[in-house]
Every structure is written in C-alpha cells, then in structure tokens.
Amino acid sequence: EVQLLGSGGGLEQPGGSLRLSCAASGFTFSSFAMSWVRQAPGKGLECISTIGGSGGGTFYADSVKGRFTISRDLSKSTLFLQMDTLRAEDTAVYYCAKGHNSGWFLFDYWGQGILVTVSS
Amino acid sequence: IVMTQSPATLSVSPGEGATLSCRASQDISSNLAWYQQKPGQAPRLVIYGASTRATAIPTRFSGSGSGTEFTLTISSLQSEDFAFYYCHHYGNWPATFGQGTKVEI
C-alpha cells in the first residue's frame, strides 16, 4: 500500500524558514517523480515543485523559484521541501504527491497535507 | 497554460447525472486529469489521459475530450460524489489546475 506521510509544518514569521518532509512507502521511491502541491485557504491547487525519480531534474513554479528547494533522500525514501524567505502568501496546506507512470506531473497518490502558516 | 472550469457550482439531486467542463488555453492533447477533493482531505485522482479511470474509480465516472475541450460526466450521483472537482493539465511544466467545480446537493 502506497503511503505518504508529511511532517514539518507550523507557524513561521515572514522571512523565516521551514523544512517539510514526506516519508514514502509501498513503492520503489527512486522510480517515480515526486512533487509538492499547495492549496491556500479556500483556494484551488497549485503545483509548486517537482523532482525526477533519481533526483534528476527539478522544476519550480515562478511563485517559489529562488526561495524553495526540493530534494529527496533515496536511502530514506523521503522527499523534502526547504522553504526560505517565507511570505504571508505562502500560507497553505502543502501536499506531497507521487508521480504516475504516465507522467511526472500526474499525481496518483497524495499525502495527508501539512499546514504552513506564515504570520507575524 | 490556463485551465478554465465551468460551472463554478453545480447543484444536483442524488441519482441525477452531472457534466463538468474544462477548457485549456492551448492544445494539451489528452494530457488531462480530473481530481476529486472533499473538505479536509487530499485530492483523489479520478480520470487521467482525458478518459482513463484511475484505480478503484467507479464506472459512473467518465471523461472525454482532447485538445482544448474536456468533460467529466458522473452518470448517477451518489452521496459520496458531492465534492470539488479539479481538472489538471500535466503534459509539461508548469502543470496547472483549473479553479474547480463544486458539485453540491
């Protein structure tokens, strides 16, 4: 059974940093792209970053480029999102999502969501 | 690529059918998925490749379309189908979602 367990959210001040983690199990972690998708309160979905199966290839939305860094530890089957220079508009639920066989940016399994609040 | 969904809200009675629309601002071939999201839950993949049902999705869900116009049809709504639905273009980066359609009783 595929499981994605996210952690690391919380309340942070503008300009601060947070690191999100997503522990994966139930599939061959190195064989699939992984992504972070966020959802601001009461809003729709935004795909903010994707990393290729063995770490090759990273993609960022313009809204986070230069501030967020996606990475993965293949030995621990864990996905990360380092979030720096946080802004109020980064407040959202962050989901980690597994890429599908049919496309890196198609998501067949999602984590439970991690709440990030950026506020002074 | 901008994804535009209509209507924003669809009011349907249980047992009735529902048709949701999604338009892409440019040709995306069949690289279109639909997700279902209930309050407080993560999205769930329903349709990909414009018309392929994902694992464990009931046959009352069907998708159609290609290019720029797509449709999700739910043939006979069950209580568990009332939710938000998002279309999603995934063929290249940046992958983008529509703004969502709320299917309500």
Side-chain angles (χ1 to χ4, degrees):
Chain A
E1 179 192 5
V2 172
Q3 290 192 340
L4 300 171
L5 185 60
S7 61
L11 174 64
E12 182 58 64
Q13 294 186 345
S17 297
L18 280 173
R19 189 192 197 202
L20 305 184
S21 300
C22 175
S25 61
F27 65 100
T28 304
F29 185 65
S30 61
S31 295
F32 295 92
M34 296 291 295
S35 298
W36 290 98
V37 179
R38 70 182 180 184
Q39 187 169 36
K43 302 297 184 182
L45 300 164
E46 180 188 15
C47 185
I48 58 170
S49 190
T50 294
I51 186 168
S54 297
T58 57
F59 302 83
Y60 296 95
D62 287 345
S63 57
V64 305
K65 195 175 297 182
R67 300 187 300 121
F68 290 9
T69 304
I70 191 171
S71 62
R72 62 196 299 168
D73 184 334
L74 299 179
S75 68
K76 296 181 179 179
S77 295
T78 301
L79 175 73
F80 301 102
L81 184 69
Q82 178 66 40
M83 309 166 64
D84 298 320
T85 319
L86 284 162
R87 304 169 179 167
E89 55 264 36
D90 296 320
T91 294
V93 173
Y94 286 72
Y95 297 100
C96 58
K98 172 186 167 292
H100 191 277
N101 279 325
S102 295
W104 280 26
F105 314 122
L106 172 64
F107 314 126
D108 54 359
Y109 291 93
W110 298 62
Q112 84 282 12
I114 306 165
L115 179 61
V116 171
T117 303
V118 183
S119 175
S120 55
Chain B
I1 297 174
V2 177
M3 308 301 293
T4 304
Q5 292 185 241
S6 61
T9 303
L10 190 58
S11 298
V12 186
S13 298
E16 293 184 341
T19 300
L20 288 66
S21 297
C22 177
R23 174 177 291 178
S25 61
Q26 57 186 270
D27 189 337
I28 61 169
S29 185
S30 296
N31 295 312
L32 189 282
W34 292 93
Y35 297 87
Q36 176 193 73
Q37 187 180 33
K38 298 178 182 178
Q41 296 185 18
R44 176 193 184 194
L45 180 64
V46 176
I47 296 284
Y48 65 96
S51 61
T52 302
R53 276 186 301 277
T55 303
I57 298 301
T59 56
R60 62 181 180 272
F61 289 89
S62 63
S64 63
S66 67
T68 62
E69 300 285 343
F70 301 88
T71 299
L72 174 67
T73 302
I74 311 171
S75 61
S76 176
L77 273 125
Q78 307 297 302
S79 57
E80 61 267 29
D81 301 334
F82 292 94
F84 279 90
Y85 291 83
Y86 294 93
C87 65
H88 173 218
H89 133 68
Y90 61 87
N92 54 23
W93 189 263
T96 49
F97 293 87
Q99 79 279 21
T101 291
K102 180 181 181 181
V103 177
E104 64 176 21
I105 300 176

PDB file of all heavy atoms in Angstrom, chain A residues 39 45 47 49-50 59-61 95 100 105-107 110-111, chain B residues 33 35 37 41-43 45 48 86 88 90 92-93 95 97:
ATOM      1  N   GLN A  39      -2.254  24.377  -1.406  1.00  0.00           N
ATOM      2  CA  GLN A  39      -3.617  24.888  -1.506  1.00  0.00           C
ATOM      3  C   GLN A  39      -3.811  25.943  -0.424  1.00  0.00           C
ATOM      4  O   GLN A  39      -3.862  25.618   0.765  1.00  0.00           O
ATOM      5  CB  GLN A  39      -4.622  23.747  -1.343  1.00  0.00           C
ATOM      6  CG  GLN A  39      -6.055  24.131  -1.595  1.00  0.00           C
ATOM      7  CD  GLN A  39      -6.965  22.920  -1.672  1.00  0.00           C
ATOM      8  OE1 GLN A  39      -6.783  21.926  -0.961  1.00  0.00           O
ATOM      9  NE2 GLN A  39      -7.970  22.975  -2.534  1.00  0.00           N
ATOM     10  N   LEU A  45      -5.715  24.429  -6.283  1.00  0.00           N
ATOM     11  CA  LEU A  45      -4.457  23.703  -6.182  1.00  0.00           C
ATOM     12  C   LEU A  45      -3.374  24.350  -7.044  1.00  0.00           C
ATOM     13  O   LEU A  45      -3.639  24.799  -8.156  1.00  0.00           O
ATOM     14  CB  LEU A  45      -4.675  22.256  -6.625  1.00  0.00           C
ATOM     15  CG  LEU A  45      -5.707  21.479  -5.806  1.00  0.00           C
ATOM     16  CD1 LEU A  45      -6.131  20.211  -6.550  1.00  0.00           C
ATOM     17  CD2 LEU A  45      -5.146  21.132  -4.435  1.00  0.00           C
ATOM     18  N   CYS A  47       0.651  23.469  -8.242  1.00  0.00           N
ATOM     19  CA  CYS A  47       1.831  22.609  -8.255  1.00  0.00           C
ATOM     20  C   CYS A  47       3.051  23.495  -8.173  1.00  0.00           C
ATOM     21  O   CYS A  47       3.287  24.295  -9.091  1.00  0.00           O
ATOM     22  CB  CYS A  47       1.858  21.754  -9.508  1.00  0.00           C
ATOM     23  SG  CYS A  47       3.195  20.557  -9.525  1.00  0.00           S
ATOM     24  N   SER A  49       6.465  22.427  -7.135  1.00  0.00           N
ATOM     25  CA  SER A  49       7.782  21.870  -7.400  1.00  0.00           C
ATOM     26  C   SER A  49       7.711  20.377  -7.664  1.00  0.00           C
ATOM     27  O   SER A  49       6.886  19.674  -7.077  1.00  0.00           O
ATOM     28  CB  SER A  49       8.728  22.140  -6.215  1.00  0.00           C
ATOM     29  OG  SER A  49      10.055  21.808  -6.550  1.00  0.00           O
ATOM     30  N   THR A  50       8.588  19.921  -8.559  1.00  0.00           N
ATOM     31  CA  THR A  50       8.677  18.501  -8.919  1.00  0.00           C
ATOM     32  C   THR A  50      10.143  18.118  -9.021  1.00  0.00           C
ATOM     33  O   THR A  50      10.967  18.929  -9.457  1.00  0.00           O
ATOM     34  CB  THR A  50       7.966  18.242 -10.251  1.00  0.00           C
ATOM     35  OG1 THR A  50       6.566  18.467 -10.105  1.00  0.00           O
ATOM     36  CG2 THR A  50       8.185  16.807 -10.733  1.00  0.00           C
ATOM     37  N   PHE A  59      11.879  21.179 -10.976  1.00  0.00           N
ATOM     38  CA  PHE A  59      11.010  22.195 -11.568  1.00  0.00           C
ATOM     39  C   PHE A  59      10.404  23.019 -10.439  1.00  0.00           C
ATOM     40  O   PHE A  59      10.065  22.474  -9.388  1.00  0.00           O
ATOM     41  CB  PHE A  59       9.896  21.549 -12.377  1.00  0.00           C
ATOM     42  CG  PHE A  59      10.385  20.664 -13.490  1.00  0.00           C
ATOM     43  CD1 PHE A  59      10.747  19.346 -13.240  1.00  0.00           C
ATOM     44  CD2 PHE A  59      10.478  21.142 -14.785  1.00  0.00           C
ATOM     45  CE1 PHE A  59      11.205  18.530 -14.256  1.00  0.00           C
ATOM     46  CE2 PHE A  59      10.925  20.325 -15.812  1.00  0.00           C
ATOM     47  CZ  PHE A  59      11.295  19.020 -15.548  1.00  0.00           C
ATOM     48  N   TYR A  60      10.237  24.326 -10.696  1.00  0.00           N
ATOM     49  CA  TYR A  60       9.675  25.220  -9.694  1.00  0.00           C
ATOM     50  C   TYR A  60       8.676  26.164 -10.347  1.00  0.00           C
ATOM     51  O   TYR A  60       8.896  26.662 -11.450  1.00  0.00           O
ATOM     52  CB  TYR A  60      10.769  26.045  -9.025  1.00  0.00           C
ATOM     53  CG  TYR A  60      11.768  25.225  -8.239  1.00  0.00           C
ATOM     54  CD1 TYR A  60      12.967  24.814  -8.813  1.00  0.00           C
ATOM     55  CD2 TYR A  60      11.502  24.849  -6.929  1.00  0.00           C
ATOM     56  CE1 TYR A  60      13.879  24.047  -8.104  1.00  0.00           C
ATOM     57  CE2 TYR A  60      12.409  24.091  -6.202  1.00  0.00           C
ATOM     58  CZ  TYR A  60      13.590  23.686  -6.802  1.00  0.00           C
ATOM     59  OH  TYR A  60      14.487  22.932  -6.088  1.00  0.00           O
ATOM     60  N   ALA A  61       7.606  26.427  -9.621  1.00  0.00           N
ATOM     61  CA  ALA A  61       6.684  27.478 -10.040  1.00  0.00           C
ATOM     62  C   ALA A  61       7.353  28.831  -9.847  1.00  0.00           C
ATOM     63  O   ALA A  61       8.198  28.992  -8.954  1.00  0.00           O
ATOM     64  CB  ALA A  61       5.403  27.401  -9.219  1.00  0.00           C
ATOM     65  N   TYR A  95       0.813  19.543   0.095  1.00  0.00           N
ATOM     66  CA  TYR A  95       0.693  18.111  -0.141  1.00  0.00           C
ATOM     67  C   TYR A  95       1.920  17.608  -0.883  1.00  0.00           C
ATOM     68  O   TYR A  95       2.347  18.227  -1.869  1.00  0.00           O
ATOM     69  CB  TYR A  95      -0.525  17.800  -1.002  1.00  0.00           C
ATOM     70  CG  TYR A  95      -1.866  18.154  -0.406  1.00  0.00           C
ATOM     71  CD1 TYR A  95      -2.533  19.325  -0.765  1.00  0.00           C
ATOM     72  CD2 TYR A  95      -2.491  17.293   0.496  1.00  0.00           C
ATOM     73  CE1 TYR A  95      -3.775  19.647  -0.237  1.00  0.00           C
ATOM     74  CE2 TYR A  95      -3.739  17.596   1.027  1.00  0.00           C
ATOM     75  CZ  TYR A  95      -4.360  18.770   0.664  1.00  0.00           C
ATOM     76  OH  TYR A  95      -5.601  19.067   1.188  1.00  0.00           O
ATOM     77  N   HIS A 100       2.943   9.622 -11.530  1.00  0.00           N
ATOM     78  CA  HIS A 100       2.316   8.446 -12.130  1.00  0.00           C
ATOM     79  C   HIS A 100       3.212   7.893 -13.229  1.00  0.00           C
ATOM     80  O   HIS A 100       4.073   8.610 -13.751  1.00  0.00           O
ATOM     81  CB  HIS A 100       0.966   8.901 -12.713  1.00  0.00           C
ATOM     82  CG  HIS A 100       0.048   7.815 -13.145  1.00  0.00           C
ATOM     83  ND1 HIS A 100       0.148   7.203 -14.376  1.00  0.00           N
ATOM     84  CD2 HIS A 100      -1.016   7.240 -12.532  1.00  0.00           C
ATOM     85  CE1 HIS A 100      -0.803   6.314 -14.504  1.00  0.00           C
ATOM     86  NE2 HIS A 100      -1.532   6.317 -13.391  1.00  0.00           N
ATOM     87  N   PHE A 105       4.135  14.828 -13.904  1.00  0.00           N
ATOM     88  CA  PHE A 105       3.309  15.857 -13.281  1.00  0.00           C
ATOM     89  C   PHE A 105       1.863  15.400 -13.095  1.00  0.00           C
ATOM     90  O   PHE A 105       0.977  16.218 -12.872  1.00  0.00           O
ATOM     91  CB  PHE A 105       3.354  17.134 -14.116  1.00  0.00           C
ATOM     92  CG  PHE A 105       4.743  17.527 -14.539  1.00  0.00           C
ATOM     93  CD1 PHE A 105       5.068  17.675 -15.873  1.00  0.00           C
ATOM     94  CD2 PHE A 105       5.731  17.731 -13.591  1.00  0.00           C
ATOM     95  CE1 PHE A 105       6.354  18.025 -16.267  1.00  0.00           C
ATOM     96  CE2 PHE A 105       7.016  18.078 -13.967  1.00  0.00           C
ATOM     97  CZ  PHE A 105       7.335  18.221 -15.309  1.00  0.00           C
ATOM     98  N   LEU A 106       1.636  14.100 -13.204  1.00  0.00           N
ATOM     99  CA  LEU A 106       0.342  13.483 -12.927  1.00  0.00           C
ATOM    100  C   LEU A 106       0.473  12.761 -11.586  1.00  0.00           C
ATOM    101  O   LEU A 106       1.413  12.005 -11.383  1.00  0.00           O
ATOM    102  CB  LEU A 106      -0.021  12.490 -14.034  1.00  0.00           C
ATOM    103  CG  LEU A 106      -1.256  11.610 -13.825  1.00  0.00           C
ATOM    104  CD1 LEU A 106      -2.517  12.464 -13.753  1.00  0.00           C
ATOM    105  CD2 LEU A 106      -1.360  10.600 -14.963  1.00  0.00           C
ATOM    106  N   PHE A 107      -0.468  12.991 -10.674  1.00  0.00           N
ATOM    107  CA  PHE A 107      -0.293  12.561  -9.296  1.00  0.00           C
ATOM    108  C   PHE A 107      -1.319  11.499  -8.914  1.00  0.00           C
ATOM    109  O   PHE A 107      -2.521  11.789  -8.887  1.00  0.00           O
ATOM    110  CB  PHE A 107      -0.414  13.765  -8.367  1.00  0.00           C
ATOM    111  CG  PHE A 107       0.370  14.959  -8.846  1.00  0.00           C
ATOM    112  CD1 PHE A 107      -0.255  16.186  -9.013  1.00  0.00           C
ATOM    113  CD2 PHE A 107       1.713  14.857  -9.151  1.00  0.00           C
ATOM    114  CE1 PHE A 107       0.450  17.288  -9.473  1.00  0.00           C
ATOM    115  CE2 PHE A 107       2.427  15.951  -9.612  1.00  0.00           C
ATOM    116  CZ  PHE A 107       1.802  17.171  -9.772  1.00  0.00           C
ATOM    117  N   TRP A 110      -1.411  10.968  -2.829  1.00  0.00           N
ATOM    118  CA  TRP A 110      -1.149  12.228  -2.147  1.00  0.00           C
ATOM    119  C   TRP A 110      -0.955  11.985  -0.656  1.00  0.00           C
ATOM    120  O   TRP A 110      -1.586  11.085  -0.080  1.00  0.00           O
ATOM    121  CB  TRP A 110      -2.337  13.179  -2.333  1.00  0.00           C
ATOM    122  CG  TRP A 110      -2.631  13.570  -3.749  1.00  0.00           C
ATOM    123  CD1 TRP A 110      -2.988  12.742  -4.781  1.00  0.00           C
ATOM    124  CD2 TRP A 110      -2.615  14.890  -4.288  1.00  0.00           C
ATOM    125  NE1 TRP A 110      -3.198  13.475  -5.925  1.00  0.00           N
ATOM    126  CE2 TRP A 110      -2.978  14.800  -5.655  1.00  0.00           C
ATOM    127  CE3 TRP A 110      -2.340  16.151  -3.755  1.00  0.00           C
ATOM    128  CZ2 TRP A 110      -3.056  15.920  -6.485  1.00  0.00           C
ATOM    129  CZ3 TRP A 110      -2.432  17.256  -4.580  1.00  0.00           C
ATOM    130  CH2 TRP A 110      -2.784  17.134  -5.925  1.00  0.00           C
ATOM    131  N   GLY A 111      -0.120  12.806  -0.041  1.00  0.00           N
ATOM    132  CA  GLY A 111      -0.007  12.784   1.405  1.00  0.00           C
ATOM    133  C   GLY A 111      -1.220  13.438   2.050  1.00  0.00           C
ATOM    134  O   GLY A 111      -2.108  13.965   1.370  1.00  0.00           O
TER     135      GLY A 111
ATOM    136  N   ALA B  33      -6.225  15.435 -16.532  1.00  0.00           N
ATOM    137  CA  ALA B  33      -6.690  14.606 -15.420  1.00  0.00           C
ATOM    138  C   ALA B  33      -7.793  15.344 -14.668  1.00  0.00           C
ATOM    139  O   ALA B  33      -7.906  16.575 -14.733  1.00  0.00           O
ATOM    140  CB  ALA B  33      -5.543  14.285 -14.470  1.00  0.00           C
ATOM    141  N   TYR B  35      -9.460  15.430 -10.663  1.00  0.00           N
ATOM    142  CA  TYR B  35      -9.317  15.046  -9.271  1.00  0.00           C
ATOM    143  C   TYR B  35     -10.595  15.397  -8.514  1.00  0.00           C
ATOM    144  O   TYR B  35     -11.237  16.418  -8.802  1.00  0.00           O
ATOM    145  CB  TYR B  35      -8.145  15.767  -8.600  1.00  0.00           C
ATOM    146  CG  TYR B  35      -6.800  15.439  -9.185  1.00  0.00           C
ATOM    147  CD1 TYR B  35      -6.312  16.143 -10.270  1.00  0.00           C
ATOM    148  CD2 TYR B  35      -6.009  14.433  -8.640  1.00  0.00           C
ATOM    149  CE1 TYR B  35      -5.081  15.848 -10.819  1.00  0.00           C
ATOM    150  CE2 TYR B  35      -4.768  14.129  -9.182  1.00  0.00           C
ATOM    151  CZ  TYR B  35      -4.309  14.842 -10.268  1.00  0.00           C
ATOM    152  OH  TYR B  35      -3.083  14.539 -10.803  1.00  0.00           O
ATOM    153  N   GLN B  37     -11.938  16.268  -4.623  1.00  0.00           N
ATOM    154  CA  GLN B  37     -11.473  16.649  -3.298  1.00  0.00           C
ATOM    155  C   GLN B  37     -12.651  16.944  -2.383  1.00  0.00           C
ATOM    156  O   GLN B  37     -13.515  17.758  -2.714  1.00  0.00           O
ATOM    157  CB  GLN B  37     -10.547  17.867  -3.343  1.00  0.00           C
ATOM    158  CG  GLN B  37      -9.912  18.169  -1.998  1.00  0.00           C
ATOM    159  CD  GLN B  37      -8.984  19.371  -2.030  1.00  0.00           C
ATOM    160  OE1 GLN B  37      -9.204  20.317  -2.772  1.00  0.00           O
ATOM    161  NE2 GLN B  37      -7.936  19.324  -1.209  1.00  0.00           N
ATOM    162  N   GLN B  41      -9.674  16.830   3.049  1.00  0.00           N
ATOM    163  CA  GLN B  41      -8.976  15.663   2.501  1.00  0.00           C
ATOM    164  C   GLN B  41      -8.073  16.052   1.344  1.00  0.00           C
ATOM    165  O   GLN B  41      -8.237  17.097   0.722  1.00  0.00           O
ATOM    166  CB  GLN B  41      -9.988  14.619   2.010  1.00  0.00           C
ATOM    167  CG  GLN B  41     -10.846  14.025   3.108  1.00  0.00           C
ATOM    168  CD  GLN B  41     -11.750  12.920   2.589  1.00  0.00           C
ATOM    169  OE1 GLN B  41     -11.535  12.360   1.504  1.00  0.00           O
ATOM    170  NE2 GLN B  41     -12.769  12.571   3.367  1.00  0.00           N
ATOM    171  N   ALA B  42      -7.118  15.177   1.061  1.00  0.00           N
ATOM    172  CA  ALA B  42      -6.269  15.359  -0.106  1.00  0.00           C
ATOM    173  C   ALA B  42      -7.061  15.047  -1.372  1.00  0.00           C
ATOM    174  O   ALA B  42      -8.045  14.286  -1.336  1.00  0.00           O
ATOM    175  CB  ALA B  42      -5.059  14.441  -0.016  1.00  0.00           C
ATOM    176  N   PRO B  43      -6.663  15.620  -2.486  1.00  0.00           N
ATOM    177  CA  PRO B  43      -7.306  15.262  -3.755  1.00  0.00           C
ATOM    178  C   PRO B  43      -7.112  13.781  -4.065  1.00  0.00           C
ATOM    179  O   PRO B  43      -6.164  13.147  -3.609  1.00  0.00           O
ATOM    180  CB  PRO B  43      -6.571  16.130  -4.776  1.00  0.00           C
ATOM    181  CG  PRO B  43      -6.030  17.280  -3.986  1.00  0.00           C
ATOM    182  CD  PRO B  43      -5.670  16.693  -2.654  1.00  0.00           C
ATOM    183  N   LEU B  45      -7.177  11.120  -7.464  1.00  0.00           N
ATOM    184  CA  LEU B  45      -7.177  11.019  -8.925  1.00  0.00           C
ATOM    185  C   LEU B  45      -8.396  10.224  -9.383  1.00  0.00           C
ATOM    186  O   LEU B  45      -8.623   9.101  -8.919  1.00  0.00           O
ATOM    187  CB  LEU B  45      -5.881  10.353  -9.397  1.00  0.00           C
ATOM    188  CG  LEU B  45      -5.721  10.168 -10.900  1.00  0.00           C
ATOM    189  CD1 LEU B  45      -5.670  11.511 -11.621  1.00  0.00           C
ATOM    190  CD2 LEU B  45      -4.465   9.346 -11.204  1.00  0.00           C
ATOM    191  N   TYR B  48      -7.452  10.128 -15.845  1.00  0.00           N
ATOM    192  CA  TYR B  48      -6.250  10.650 -16.470  1.00  0.00           C
ATOM    193  C   TYR B  48      -6.252  10.250 -17.946  1.00  0.00           C
ATOM    194  O   TYR B  48      -7.087   9.433 -18.365  1.00  0.00           O
ATOM    195  CB  TYR B  48      -4.980  10.163 -15.756  1.00  0.00           C
ATOM    196  CG  TYR B  48      -4.736   8.672 -15.841  1.00  0.00           C
ATOM    197  CD1 TYR B  48      -3.886   8.146 -16.815  1.00  0.00           C
ATOM    198  CD2 TYR B  48      -5.341   7.796 -14.944  1.00  0.00           C
ATOM    199  CE1 TYR B  48      -3.658   6.793 -16.891  1.00  0.00           C
ATOM    200  CE2 TYR B  48      -5.121   6.439 -15.016  1.00  0.00           C
ATOM    201  CZ  TYR B  48      -4.267   5.936 -15.986  1.00  0.00           C
ATOM    202  OH  TYR B  48      -4.041   4.579 -16.065  1.00  0.00           O
ATOM    203  N   TYR B  86     -11.395  19.120  -9.779  1.00  0.00           N
ATOM    204  CA  TYR B  86     -10.411  19.960 -10.438  1.00  0.00           C
ATOM    205  C   TYR B  86      -9.899  19.261 -11.687  1.00  0.00           C
ATOM    206  O   TYR B  86      -9.561  18.068 -11.649  1.00  0.00           O
ATOM    207  CB  TYR B  86      -9.208  20.229  -9.523  1.00  0.00           C
ATOM    208  CG  TYR B  86      -9.536  21.055  -8.294  1.00  0.00           C
ATOM    209  CD1 TYR B  86      -9.875  20.443  -7.100  1.00  0.00           C
ATOM    210  CD2 TYR B  86      -9.490  22.448  -8.345  1.00  0.00           C
ATOM    211  CE1 TYR B  86     -10.173  21.192  -5.966  1.00  0.00           C
ATOM    212  CE2 TYR B  86      -9.786  23.205  -7.225  1.00  0.00           C
ATOM    213  CZ  TYR B  86     -10.129  22.569  -6.036  1.00  0.00           C
ATOM    214  OH  TYR B  86     -10.418  23.318  -4.926  1.00  0.00           O
ATOM    215  N   HIS B  88      -6.817  19.170 -14.542  1.00  0.00           N
ATOM    216  CA  HIS B  88      -5.367  19.344 -14.367  1.00  0.00           C
ATOM    217  C   HIS B  88      -4.657  18.980 -15.660  1.00  0.00           C
ATOM    218  O   HIS B  88      -4.792  17.853 -16.157  1.00  0.00           O
ATOM    219  CB  HIS B  88      -4.906  18.439 -13.229  1.00  0.00           C
ATOM    220  CG  HIS B  88      -3.428  18.363 -13.020  1.00  0.00           C
ATOM    221  ND1 HIS B  88      -2.783  17.195 -12.676  1.00  0.00           N
ATOM    222  CD2 HIS B  88      -2.463  19.307 -13.095  1.00  0.00           C
ATOM    223  CE1 HIS B  88      -1.492  17.428 -12.548  1.00  0.00           C
ATOM    224  NE2 HIS B  88      -1.270  18.701 -12.793  1.00  0.00           N
ATOM    225  N   TYR B  90      -1.202  18.050 -17.306  1.00  0.00           N
ATOM    226  CA  TYR B  90       0.050  17.522 -16.767  1.00  0.00           C
ATOM    227  C   TYR B  90       1.088  17.192 -17.824  1.00  0.00           C
ATOM    228  O   TYR B  90       2.099  16.536 -17.547  1.00  0.00           O
ATOM    229  CB  TYR B  90      -0.240  16.262 -15.926  1.00  0.00           C
ATOM    230  CG  TYR B  90      -0.887  15.119 -16.684  1.00  0.00           C
ATOM    231  CD1 TYR B  90      -0.112  14.180 -17.364  1.00  0.00           C
ATOM    232  CD2 TYR B  90      -2.269  14.965 -16.701  1.00  0.00           C
ATOM    233  CE1 TYR B  90      -0.703  13.131 -18.040  1.00  0.00           C
ATOM    234  CE2 TYR B  90      -2.864  13.916 -17.381  1.00  0.00           C
ATOM    235  CZ  TYR B  90      -2.076  12.993 -18.045  1.00  0.00           C
ATOM    236  OH  TYR B  90      -2.666  11.952 -18.721  1.00  0.00           O
ATOM    237  N   ASN B  92       3.263  19.090 -19.456  1.00  0.00           N
ATOM    238  CA  ASN B  92       4.566  19.743 -19.344  1.00  0.00           C
ATOM    239  C   ASN B  92       4.525  20.719 -18.182  1.00  0.00           C
ATOM    240  O   ASN B  92       3.492  20.907 -17.542  1.00  0.00           O
ATOM    241  CB  ASN B  92       4.962  20.425 -20.651  1.00  0.00           C
ATOM    242  CG  ASN B  92       3.899  21.389 -21.143  1.00  0.00           C
ATOM    243  OD1 ASN B  92       3.090  21.882 -20.357  1.00  0.00           O
ATOM    244  ND2 ASN B  92       3.889  21.648 -22.426  1.00  0.00           N
ATOM    245  N   TRP B  93       5.668  21.342 -17.909  1.00  0.00           N
ATOM    246  CA  TRP B  93       5.763  22.282 -16.798  1.00  0.00           C
ATOM    247  C   TRP B  93       5.552  23.709 -17.307  1.00  0.00           C
ATOM    248  O   TRP B  93       6.069  24.047 -18.361  1.00  0.00           O
ATOM    249  CB  TRP B  93       7.142  22.171 -16.137  1.00  0.00           C
ATOM    250  CG  TRP B  93       7.223  22.949 -14.871  1.00  0.00           C
ATOM    251  CD1 TRP B  93       7.729  24.220 -14.715  1.00  0.00           C
ATOM    252  CD2 TRP B  93       6.747  22.551 -13.582  1.00  0.00           C
ATOM    253  NE1 TRP B  93       7.586  24.620 -13.413  1.00  0.00           N
ATOM    254  CE2 TRP B  93       6.989  23.614 -12.690  1.00  0.00           C
ATOM    255  CE3 TRP B  93       6.124  21.404 -13.097  1.00  0.00           C
ATOM    256  CZ2 TRP B  93       6.648  23.549 -11.339  1.00  0.00           C
ATOM    257  CZ3 TRP B  93       5.794  21.340 -11.759  1.00  0.00           C
ATOM    258  CH2 TRP B  93       6.048  22.402 -10.899  1.00  0.00           C
ATOM    259  N   ALA B  95       2.699  22.445 -14.692  1.00  0.00           N
ATOM    260  CA  ALA B  95       1.423  21.754 -14.656  1.00  0.00           C
ATOM    261  C   ALA B  95       0.423  22.645 -13.945  1.00  0.00           C
ATOM    262  O   ALA B  95       0.744  23.225 -12.904  1.00  0.00           O
ATOM    263  CB  ALA B  95       1.573  20.429 -13.914  1.00  0.00           C
ATOM    264  N   PHE B  97      -3.786  23.625 -12.727  1.00  0.00           N
ATOM    265  CA  PHE B  97      -5.116  23.156 -12.372  1.00  0.00           C
ATOM    266  C   PHE B  97      -6.164  24.204 -12.748  1.00  0.00           C
ATOM    267  O   PHE B  97      -5.873  25.407 -12.757  1.00  0.00           O
ATOM    268  CB  PHE B  97      -5.223  22.918 -10.863  1.00  0.00           C
ATOM    269  CG  PHE B  97      -4.381  21.788 -10.339  1.00  0.00           C
ATOM    270  CD1 PHE B  97      -3.059  22.000  -9.975  1.00  0.00           C
ATOM    271  CD2 PHE B  97      -4.916  20.517 -10.196  1.00  0.00           C
ATOM    272  CE1 PHE B  97      -2.279  20.956  -9.481  1.00  0.00           C
ATOM    273  CE2 PHE B  97      -4.160  19.472  -9.693  1.00  0.00           C
ATOM    274  CZ  PHE B  97      -2.831  19.693  -9.340  1.00  0.00           C
TER     275      PHE B  97
END
